């Protein structure tokens, strides 16, 4: 009975209550930029940036809006309205269409924050005991990356170093996910541990 309760608790944790995602996002520091690609990829883990948002005031407004989206569950539609208000208030001249820009800011920041929270929860000692394997899944998208398609179904021990370089999202607009897998799921599905790639 206790074991089932622990399993249910870990399963709920891997679905991610937003607290760890919120904590991850709040620890970031603002990084003003003039253009996309200005920051190294690893800097995005600790810095908050919006390509072309070079003023502190503009960056703070976007950071506040993204923070609300994560903590309050703001929809993309609501975020787009807030994006329009921010742009108008700050007189920001940006590249791309407003809808596309808002969606990019929204989805990129939410997916990385939730992914960081998911990593934290899936690497707790309890989670690693209950789910000693992880499985990489590529999800259908209009422009799949062939490498990500090739990784689909890769199942390795959760402690395998492969995950430190293949945790999702891998790159901008990656739609892949990593799922925790129990020993029982491995047996029921007849899954085998993949060769490290």
């Amino acid at each position: 009975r206790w074991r089932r309760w622990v399993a249910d608790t870990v399963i709920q944790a891997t679905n991610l209550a937003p607290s760890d995602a919120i904590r991850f996002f709040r620890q970031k520091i603002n990084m003003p930029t003039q253009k996309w690609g200005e920051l190294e990829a690893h800097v995005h883990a600790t810095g908050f940036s919006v390509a072309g948002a070079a003023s502190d005031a503009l960056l703070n407004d976007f950071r506040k809006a993204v923070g609300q989206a994560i903590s309050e569950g703001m929809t993309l539609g609501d975020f787009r309205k807030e994006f329009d208000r921010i742009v108008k208030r700050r007189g920001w001249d940006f590249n791309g269409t407003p809808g596309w820009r808002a969606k990019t800011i929204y989805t990129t920041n939410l997916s990385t924050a939730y992914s960081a929270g998911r990593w934290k929860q899936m690497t707790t000692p309890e989670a690693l005991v209950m789910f000693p394997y992880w499985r990489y899944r590529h999800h259908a998208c209009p422009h799949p990356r062939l490498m990500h398609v090739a990784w689909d179904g890769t199942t390795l021990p959760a402690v395998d170093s492969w995950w430190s370089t293949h945790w999702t999202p891998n790159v901008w607009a990656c739609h892949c996910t990593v799922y925790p897998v129990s020993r029982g799921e491995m047996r029921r599905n007849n899954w085998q541990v993949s060769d490290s790639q």
Side-chain angles (χ1 to χ4, degrees), residues 26-102:
R26 286 184 178 160
Q27 59 84 33
K28 288 186 164 204
I29 56 171
N30 285 357
M31 305 289 291
T33 62
Q34 293 293 330
K35 62 185 180 191
W36 182 84
E38 198 171 313
L39 300 176
E40 294 291 327
H42 66 276
V43 175
H44 289 284
T46 56
F48 175 75
S49 66
V50 171
S55 79
D56 287 332
L58 180 60
L59 207 50
N60 283 330
D61 285 351
F62 281 132
R63 184 183 177 127
K64 181 180 177 186
V66 170
Q68 283 182 303
I70 294 169
S71 63
E72 299 172 17
M74 182 187 293
T75 67
L76 174 57
D78 292 336
F79 185 81
R80 281 182 167 149
K81 291 174 190 168
E82 186 59 23
F83 174 89
D84 291 342
R85 285 191 284 272
I86 292 169
V87 168
K88 184 177 181 182
R89 181 171 56 247
R90 300 296 176 193
W92 188 41
D93 184 27
F94 58 88
N95 293 326
T97 62
W100 177 84
R101 241 1 246 282

Side-chain angles (χ1 to χ4, degrees), residues 47-191:
F48 175 75
S49 66
V50 171
S55 79
D56 287 332
L58 180 60
L59 207 50
N60 283 330
D61 285 351
F62 281 132
R63 184 183 177 127
K64 181 180 177 186
V66 170
Q68 283 182 303
I70 294 169
S71 63
E72 299 172 17
M74 182 187 293
T75 67
L76 174 57
D78 292 336
F79 185 81
R80 281 182 167 149
K81 291 174 190 168
E82 186 59 23
F83 174 89
D84 291 342
R85 285 191 284 272
I86 292 169
V87 168
K88 184 177 181 182
R89 181 171 56 247
R90 300 296 176 193
W92 188 41
D93 184 27
F94 58 88
N95 293 326
T97 62
W100 177 84
R101 241 1 246 282
K103 181 180 179 183
T104 299
I105 295 166
Y106 178 89
T107 57
T108 299
N109 283 284
L110 267 67
S111 68
T112 56
Y114 277 96
S115 183
R118 191 168 169 82
W119 171 272
K120 183 176 180 190
Q121 292 184 344
M122 285 173 57
T123 57
T124 65
E126 299 82 5
L128 292 171
V129 167
M130 298 300 293
F131 302 99
Y133 303 99
W134 291 346
R135 188 170 177 85
Y136 190 99
R137 292 311 318 260
H138 176 270
H139 299 286
C141 61
H143 307 286
R145 293 175 173 92
L146 297 181
M147 186 68 74
H148 295 202
V149 173
W151 295 332
D152 185 47
T154 297
T155 307
L156 293 166
V159 296
D160 194 290
S161 62
W162 189 81
W163 297 114
S164 66
T165 55
H166 292 78
W167 187 258
T168 60
N170 281 313
V171 292
W172 182 79
C174 171
H175 299 284
C176 300
T177 50
V178 175
Y179 292 98
V181 178
S182 69
R183 286 181 178 84
E185 287 174 293
M186 292 287 283
R187 284 191 302 273
R188 280 191 304 278
N189 293 297
N190 201 27
W191 289 336

